[in-house]
Every structure is written in C-alpha cells, then in structure tokens.
C-alpha cells in the first residue's frame, strides 16, 4: 500500500516495545486471576504498579512525541488508510490522551480505583447507596476534570466514551439507542403477555461440571479456537486476554445448576479469543494494525458467536446429539424445540449480567441514559437510586427491591469506568449487522453450521474484520462491510424473529 519510511520504522520499534511491556502486564493480570496464591497479592500489586509506571513513562515520553511528529510529517501526503498514516494517527491519538492528563489526576484516579472499589463491595453487601454515594460523587468530579483535560465537541460524555469506542459520540449512540429502545420495550411487553412460556427450568437442572468443561472445550475448538495457541481456565470473573502471538487465554466458571453460565460464557470468550487470534500481532504488536478496533467491535465478535451462532437452530442441530451424550440423564426427554426455546428464553430481570440477549440491551440503555445525565449535570448523585428504579419500571416493568439489586450492582462506577457500558450494546448492534452481511455473502452459512463447519464464518470475519486491526474506525468498518451506517434494524429484525418463533408474538 505504501513504502515504509525511516521515521515510521522508528515509531513502530518504540510502539512495539511499549506493546511488549503491556503484554507482560496482561500476563501478570491473567496470573493474578487464575493462578496466584492469595498471599502473593500485595507483591503482585507492587509488580503491576511498577510496570504500569514504566508503561506510562514510555507512552508519554518526549521521545515518543518526537517520533510521532516525524512519522506524521512523513505520512502527510498518504492515503488516510495507508499503514503509515493509520499508525501515526493512532499513536497521536493515544499519546495526546495520555499526555493531556496531569500526573496528579492519574495518581488520584488510581488511588480512587482501589478505595472506591472497596467502598463499593461494602456498600453492595449492605445494600447501602448512602455509603457509596460520596465515591460516586468523587468519581464524577475526577471524570469532569478528565473531560476538561481531554476536551470534547458536543457533549462532555464524548470525552469518556472515546476512550473505549474511538470516534463515537453521545449523540451518535443516542440516535441508534433510541430507535432500539421503544421497539424493544414493546417486544418485551408482548413476550410477557404471551401464553407461550419457555421451559427455562431445563437450564437449571444438574449438569455434571466435568462434562460441562469437556463440552465447552469441544464447542470452542469446533468454532475455531486454537488450543495450541491458547488456554481455557477457571476464574471468578470470566475474561479473555491476548498476550501476544500464539498466546490467547480465556477463562470461565462452572455452576452445576446453571448450564447457560459456563457454556454461553465459553462461546462468548471464544468469540473474543478468535478475534485476538486473528489479529496480526507478530507483525504489528503495539501498533494500530495489530490491535482491535474498539470495545464495541470486540464485543461484536463475542456476541456473534455466543448469540447469533450459539443460540441458533443450526448450531444445535450439530451440537444437540453431543449434548445428549454429555448429559444423558439431564437431557432425557428434552426435545430440540424445548431446548431451543430454553436457550432463547426472554424474561425481564434485575441483574444485567444474568439478562437474556433481548432485555440485556435495556439494562445498557438505562446505564447510558444515567451516565449522560450525570456527566451533563442533569442528574445529581442524590437522585441516582430513584432515577434508576424509575427507568427499570418504565423499560422492564420491574422495580428493584433494594439498591444492591439496583444501582449498586455493577462494578464499573466504582472503578471510574464511565463511558464503557454503551460498548456492550454497540457490540450487539454491530454483531447483527455483520452477521446479516455474512449470511448474504455465504448463503449456505447455517447449513454449514448444522454439519459442524464453522470455518466459512470464521474465514469471513478474519478477512473482513480481524486482519485489518484498527485500520478503520468502527463506523467505517460497518459501512465498508455492509454498505450501511450503524443501525438498530438488523438487531431488531433478529430479535423479532426469535420472539415470534419462541413466543409466537
Ligand atoms: Zn465480552
């Protein structure tokens, strides 16, 4: 696409070294959550803090600033999607963001992350919003300082969202979320009023944990996870992290009476992992071309495999006989239709992380509306529980009995992760748009699933999404692949189809 130039090469070398440091941090984090003996936690915290300091120094150094400026000058006349232009632009973006925040603010945030988290754990345990409120106020104050440093064009929330979903804005999200909201609320109401019910109890029967693990591994491998270049372990909070070329690690947790948890959790993390395994890390470690586009696009990969693929009839046509072999007594007498209905059950509930794929988005919409109102000053910290409960009543028809099951349920606000929530629903929206296009490009896609062949879809994702790293923004990518802008229609069509099949509405 273009001829590499000396300044570009020097920049890449520097970025690669910072990328190596970051991947070491990621490995320490994985180890902390999966292997570390309890007593090793304080020392590990010190190791990670030291490494974070090194990374921060390297990412904000005058040397890096000079290298970026030189690479930008060289890339000046090039196409904006050429390697050199992409890498220079992306490095500038990260560098500006890091250097705009004063050291004291960064240190204060790091401290508040630890203390705020402790306060939140206590507050949630006692269901006491009053004891968490000062920390939410503190975070809002810190975030307002961050917003002032980073700057924004239209809405202060843009400055926060941009960290997780580069180039996305509150206005852009609002537009697409609003077109999703009213339809979803009415669909959920129709389902609640339907006389047809999904046999959810099937998922809560006894599933041997060892058999769950073997079955999950079988599915992860079948859809394309390369176990010679990755691992699946157990941790309290499931996650996936790519440490570098040939080393992608994911985790899950097993509960005997919750089949959904581990199995769809594994499919979800495998979706993230397939993206990580598809990035060109050997060649482009630490630079935009070897990294994921955004949290929303990362989430689109996990949600696609978990939901659009993993809850489809075609998928279970292949896996149901295997499930019957793995859990012969549990699934005795369960028909394919019952299983399909159980895996696609919709039921308004209070807890986001336990929500089904339809109501999940309403949980996210509520958080997005709350966060934008908090950052613009329309909503004060005193009014959070009441506003929260009102929205749950309005959108999901249910009211939390206490704040632990309401506004205190998520860890995000205690860690200053404001601007993060919308990426989950953006992931669902992008997943539906991409999948829609994949089924047009590969007409027999689902027949292939039914015979256990998931390679065509993975190949499609590799070609259209993974190989590009962050060459295109999320919005550019969806336009490039589907020819349309970010839209709620494909997700709504998909969810309407499910509602009609399972609930007859
Ligand atoms: Zn995810």
């Amino acid at each position: 696409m273009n001829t590499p130039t000396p300044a570009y090469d020097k920049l890449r070398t520097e970025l690669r070294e910072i990328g190596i440091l970051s991947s070491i941090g990621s490995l320490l984090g994985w180890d902390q959550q999966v292997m570390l003996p309890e007593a090793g936690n304080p020392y590990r915290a010190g190791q990670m803090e030291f490494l974070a300091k090194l990374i921060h120094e390297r990412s904000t150094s005058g040397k890096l600033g000079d290298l970026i400026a030189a690479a930008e000058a060289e890339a000046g006349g090039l196409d904006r999607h050429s390697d050199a232009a992409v890498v220079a632009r992306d490095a500038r973006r990260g560098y500006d963001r890091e250097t705009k925040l004063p050291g004291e603010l960064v240190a204060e945030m790091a401290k508040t992350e630890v203390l705020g988290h402790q306060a939140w754990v206590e507050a949630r345990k006692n269901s006491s919003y009053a004891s968490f409120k000062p920390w939410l106020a503190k975070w809002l104050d810190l975030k307002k300082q961050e917003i002032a440093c980073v700057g924004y064009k239209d809405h202060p929330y843009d400055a926060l969202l941009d960290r997780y979903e580069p180039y996305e804005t509150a206005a852009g999200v609002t537009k697409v979320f609003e077109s999703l909201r009213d339809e979803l609320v009415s669909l959920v109401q129709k389902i609640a009023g339907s006389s047809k019910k999904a046999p959810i109890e099937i998922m809560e029967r006894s599933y041997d944990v060892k058999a769950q693990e073997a079955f999950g591994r079988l599915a992860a491998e079948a859809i394309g996870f390369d176990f010679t270049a990755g691992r699946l372990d157990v941790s309290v909070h499931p996650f996936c992290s790519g440490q570098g070329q040939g080393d992608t690690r994911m985790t899950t947790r097993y509960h005997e009476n919750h089949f959904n948890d581990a199995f769809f959790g594994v499919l979800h993390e495998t979706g993230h992992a397939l993206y990580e395994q598809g990035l060109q890390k050997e060649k482009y470690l630490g630079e935009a071309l070897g990294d994921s586009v955004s949290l929303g696009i990362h989430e689109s990969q996990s949600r696609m495999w978990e939901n659009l693929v993993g809850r489809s009839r075609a998928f279970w046509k292949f896996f149901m006989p295997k499930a019957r072999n793995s859990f012969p007594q549990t699934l005795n007498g369960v028909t394919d239709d019952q299983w399909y209905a159980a895996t696609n059950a919709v039921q308004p509930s209070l807890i986001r992380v336990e929500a089904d794929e339809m109501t999940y988005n309403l949980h996210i919409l509520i958080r997005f509306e709350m966060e934008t109102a908090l950052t613009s000053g329309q909503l004060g910290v005193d009014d959070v529980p009441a506003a929260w409960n009102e929205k749950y009543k309005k959108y999901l028809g249910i009211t939390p009995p206490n704040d632990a099951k309401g506004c205190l349920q998520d860890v995000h606000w205690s860690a200053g992760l404001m601007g993060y929530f919308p990426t989950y629903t953006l992931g669902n929206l992008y997943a539906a748009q991409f999948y829609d296009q994949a089924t047009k490009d590969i007409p027999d896609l689902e027949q292939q699933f039914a015979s256990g062949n998931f390679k065509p879809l993975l190949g499609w994702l590799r070609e259209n999404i993974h190989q590009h790293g962050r060459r295109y923004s999320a919005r550019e990518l969806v336009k490039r692949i589907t020819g349309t802008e970010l839209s709620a229609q494909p997700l709504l069509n998909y969810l309407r189809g499910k509602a009609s099949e399972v609930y007859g509405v």
Side-chain angles (χ1 to χ4, degrees):
M1 203 174 258
N2 62 295
T3 329
T5 53
Y8 171 57
D9 283 345
K10 279 187 207 150
L11 174 61
R12 292 188 63 202
T13 305
E14 184 68 14
L15 292 172
R16 187 175 190 87
E17 288 183 4
I18 298 170
I20 291 171
L21 286 173
S22 298
S23 70
I24 295 169
S26 165
L27 184 57
L28 286 178
W30 174 86
D31 182 78
Q32 183 185 36
Q33 295 199 52
V34 178
M35 302 297 286
L36 188 69
E38 183 77 33
N41 266 308
Y43 181 63
R44 175 56 46 87
Q47 288 178 307
M48 290 171 79
E49 197 186 323
F50 180 71
L51 191 64
K53 195 172 127 240
L54 272 186
I55 294 169
H56 183 72
E57 277 167 17
R58 290 288 292 264
S59 325
T60 54
S61 72
K63 180 188 170 192
L64 180 61
D66 293 344
L67 289 171
I68 294 170
E72 280 176 326
E74 269 179 4
L78 298 174
D79 177 84
R80 65 177 264 106
H81 292 124
S82 66
D83 291 7
V86 168
V87 172
R89 183 170 62 245
D90 190 74
R92 164 65 63 199
R93 200 179 163 277
Y95 184 77
D96 282 355
R97 184 150 196 132
E98 291 271 325
T99 52
K100 274 179 183 169
L101 299 183
E104 310 87 77
L105 181 59
V106 174
E108 189 63 26
M109 285 185 172
K111 207 170 89 191
T112 309
E113 217 178 300
V114 179
L115 298 175
H117 184 260
Q118 283 168 0
W120 169 75
V121 170
E122 252 333 88
R124 190 169 74 153
K125 202 168 78 193
N126 304 320
S127 192
S128 162
Y129 177 72
S131 66
F132 181 63
K133 193 174 77 175
W135 292 98
L136 183 59
K138 166 104 182 164
W139 266 123
L140 259 183
D141 176 52
L142 292 170
K143 288 286 140 178
K144 280 177 184 163
Q145 292 181 48
E146 180 181 341
I147 290 165
C149 296
V150 174
Y152 63 91
K153 266 202 211 118
D154 299 316
H155 195 291
Y157 192 74
D158 296 350
L160 304 180
L161 179 61
D162 186 78
R163 177 186 285 275
Y164 311 107
E165 199 62 25
Y167 310 108
E168 192 52 78
T169 63
V173 172
T174 302
K175 192 167 167 237
V176 68
F177 278 20
E178 277 181 356
S179 62
L180 183 65
R181 188 184 58 202
D182 298 346
E183 289 256 12
L184 267 189
V185 168
S186 102
L187 204 50
V188 170
Q189 279 168 358
K190 277 188 209 154
I191 289 171
S194 163
S195 58
K196 278 176 99 175
K197 302 288 171 216
I200 305 174
E201 64 77 26
I202 294 173
M203 294 296 160
E204 283 149 20
R205 292 179 183 178
S206 169
Y207 291 84
D208 178 75
V209 164
K210 280 219 150 49
Q212 281 192 52
E213 192 191 337
F215 187 59
R217 282 178 182 275
L218 181 82
E221 189 159 21
I223 66 176
F225 184 76
D226 179 1
F227 274 98
T228 67
R231 300 180 55 87
L232 171 61
D233 295 276
V234 171
S235 70
V236 180
H237 303 289
F239 68 98
C240 167
S241 63
Q243 326 294 346
Q245 187 71 31
D247 188 1
T248 299
R249 306 183 182 201
M250 54 180 181
T251 67
T252 192
R253 56 186 171 195
Y254 300 97
H255 299 295
E256 196 190 329
N257 300 106
H258 290 277
F259 176 82
N260 275 349
D261 236 38
F263 185 74
F264 289 102
V266 167
L267 288 185
H268 181 97
E269 300 308 334
T270 304
H272 283 302
L274 292 174
Y275 189 13
E276 290 290 322
Q277 289 185 334
L279 292 167
Q280 301 190 62
K281 291 189 186 174
E282 188 158 17
K283 211 164 153 192
Y284 298 124
L285 181 74
E287 53 183 294
L289 298 170
D291 207 347
S292 53
V293 178
S294 67
L295 289 189
I297 296 296
H298 225 306
E299 199 66 7
S300 76
Q301 303 303 287
S302 57
R303 303 273 169 153
M304 185 185 296
W305 289 103
E306 176 194 353
N307 294 329
L308 290 117
V309 179
R311 295 179 202 272
S312 68
R313 279 195 190 274
F315 179 91
W316 286 105
K317 189 153 189 178
F318 180 70
F319 278 105
M320 201 57 202
K322 294 176 172 43
R324 288 203 173 92
N325 270 336
S326 300
F327 313 103
Q329 271 143 17
T330 311
L331 296 181
N332 190 17
V334 173
T335 67
D336 289 3
D337 279 346
Q338 286 170 329
W339 183 258
Y340 179 73
T343 54
N344 288 288
V346 173
Q347 197 171 44
S349 62
L350 293 169
I351 306 296
R352 173 184 62 90
V353 295
E354 294 165 8
D356 56 79
E357 64 170 329
M358 189 176 307
T359 58
Y360 189 91
N361 299 296
L362 293 171
H363 291 264
I364 296 305
L365 264 56
I366 289 169
R367 285 153 179 77
F368 172 68
E369 291 179 1
M370 301 276 300
E371 287 188 342
T372 47
L374 280 167
T375 46
S376 70
Q378 275 173 301
L379 182 72
V381 289
D382 285 336
D383 307 321
V384 164
W388 182 284
N389 294 352
E390 193 192 314
K391 285 183 190 292
Y392 266 78
K393 181 82 199 145
K394 199 166 147 198
Y395 299 159
L396 285 151
I398 48 178
T399 307
N402 55 49
D403 293 334
K405 290 190 168 165
C407 64
L408 289 175
Q409 66 181 269
D410 297 306
V411 68
H412 300 61
W413 291 347
S414 78
L417 294 174
M418 287 176 186
Y420 191 110
F421 282 121
T423 66
Y424 294 119
T425 284
L426 286 172
N428 285 332
L429 296 166
Y430 283 126
Q433 286 189 272
F434 292 147
Y435 191 75
D436 214 30
Q437 189 61 42
T439 55
K440 283 177 192 152
D441 293 349
I442 313 165
D444 67 342
L445 192 67
E446 296 194 342
Q447 282 99 294
Q448 297 287 344
F449 293 170
S451 59
N453 185 8
F454 298 91
K455 283 201 182 86
L457 179 61
L458 183 56
W460 187 92
L461 294 169
R462 291 261 193 266
E463 187 192 326
N464 287 291
I465 300 170
H466 304 175
Q467 65 153 332
H468 298 301
R470 205 149 59 217
R471 190 184 300 278
Y472 307 102
S473 72
R475 293 260 185 173
E476 284 172 344
L477 196 64
V478 76
K479 185 83 201 280
R480 214 181 113 88
I481 294 173
T482 68
T484 55
E485 302 291 341
L486 172 63
S487 155
Q489 288 316 312
L491 180 63
L492 279 170
N493 289 341
Y494 160 76
L495 292 173
R496 278 192 210 107
K498 282 277 170 81
S500 145
E501 246 189 306
V502 176
Y503 293 96
V505 296

